Amino acid sequence: EAQVTQNPRYLITVTGKKLTVTCSQNMNHEYMSWYRQDPGLGLRQIYYSMNVEVTDKGDVPEGYKVSRKEKRNFPLILESPSPNQTSLYFCASSFFGTSDEQYFGPGTRLTVT
Amino acid sequence: QKEVEQNSGPLSVPEGAIASLNCTYSDRGSQSFFWYRQYSGKSPELIMSIYSNGDKEDGRFTAQLNKASQYVSLLIRDSQPSDSATYLCAVNKNTGNQFYFGTGTSLTVIP
């Protein structure tokens, strides 16, 4: 089954404790992206990647890191999480970038206390 | 000014009616436009994509694009209670490879 998977689905952590949210797709997509969704603010792009070893900042990259060492994986790293990073996070992928539809993962609900 | 703007709603329509959802965008060079549906607690799923001026129909859904006026709309005919969800408008950025999403319009279809 073609899909984007994310893990964990739910995470409660404390300020400053490094965490990684994994994202994997099995559709051989070139483009992968991370979003956060907050009430009243909608989906905002954090980072995106056009291909292996190619990553770029979105609109809200502060406090996040990403890497794209393999085509299928695009982990999101929070080196020192803060309460303002409490949010619902989505990973998404598409074949060729912004001219194609994106397929979204199931989401990761992160709470930072 | 936001890159993509939508009325947050809520929009309520009776079952069987036409629901009309609107979206405006600020980047005149944008080329790709998408409508996603998001049920509460779920991830967005694509309904329609549109790239050229005019109408594009898919079943009960019609997307309309007017690049001169910088708006894109979604019509849902014969609305069903299962259409009750938040509808997100997404637009690509003309330069670079970013997407911008609106904050979504909440639609309720009343049986």
Side-chain angles (χ1 to χ4, degrees):
Chain A
E1 180 189 356
Q3 61 183 347
V4 179
T5 57
Q6 293 179 230
N7 282 293
R9 294 289 313 281
Y10 302 91
L11 180 59
I12 300 174
T13 189
V14 295
T15 299
K17 185 176 181 181
K18 181 179 178 179
L19 67 90
T20 299
V21 184
T22 64
C23 172
S24 183
Q25 49 91 7
N26 62 0
M27 296 170 279
N28 201 36
H29 284 172
E30 302 279 339
Y31 185 93
M32 297 187 73
S33 182
W34 275 103
Y35 297 88
R36 60 178 290 173
Q37 188 172 37
D38 302 290
L41 297 178
L43 277 165
R44 293 180 292 167
Q45 199 166 25
I46 303 171
Y47 269 96
Y48 61 94
S49 169
M50 290 297 294
N51 213 326
V52 175
E53 303 292 0
V54 180
T55 62
D56 279 296
K57 297 177 180 179
D59 279 343
V60 288
E62 295 77 20
Y64 304 95
K65 287 176 60 176
V66 293
S67 67
R68 187 93 181 271
K69 292 182 170 54
E70 303 168 282
K71 194 172 187 177
R72 64 182 292 131
N73 295 324
F74 191 46
L76 179 70
I77 303 158
L78 285 71
E79 299 236 331
S80 184
S82 63
N84 65 12
Q85 292 177 299
T86 293
S87 187
L88 179 59
Y89 291 87
F90 288 104
C91 180
S93 70
S94 67
F95 271 111
F96 297 122
T98 60
S99 61
D100 287 320
E101 69 167 290
Q102 293 183 96
Y103 294 80
F104 283 82
T108 296
R109 187 166 292 281
L110 172 66
T111 301
V112 183
T113 62
Chain B
Q1 182 186 8
K2 292 182 180 178
E3 298 285 346
V4 179
E5 299 212 45
Q6 297 180 251
N7 290 329
S8 61
L11 174 66
S12 294
V13 299
E15 183 174 355
I18 296 175
S20 178
L21 307 164
N22 299 310
C23 169
T24 58
Y25 60 95
S26 61
D27 187 345
R28 185 169 288 278
S30 294
Q31 298 292 326
S32 305
F33 307 87
F34 306 89
W35 282 101
Y36 288 85
R37 176 175 61 199
Q38 186 176 26
Y39 293 112
S40 181
K42 301 295 185 181
S43 56
E45 54 181 350
L46 184 78
I47 300 175
M48 298 274 293
S49 59
I50 187 167
Y51 304 96
S52 304
N53 279 328
D55 295 358
K56 179 181 178 181
E57 187 174 320
D58 184 2
R60 296 186 296 111
F61 299 95
T62 299
Q64 299 174 316
L65 175 61
N66 184 325
K67 289 185 179 180
S69 300
Q70 295 176 243
Y71 85 79
V72 57
S73 63
L74 180 70
L75 299 178
I76 307 174
R77 291 182 300 281
D78 188 24
S79 295
Q80 302 296 308
S82 59
D83 294 327
S84 298
T86 296
Y87 289 80
L88 306 173
C89 173
V91 177
N92 78 320
K93 188 176 179 180
N94 181 38
T95 56
N97 294 287
Q98 286 182 250
F99 283 100
Y100 289 108
F101 281 80
T103 54
T105 298
S106 176
L107 172 67
T108 300
V109 180
I110 303 167

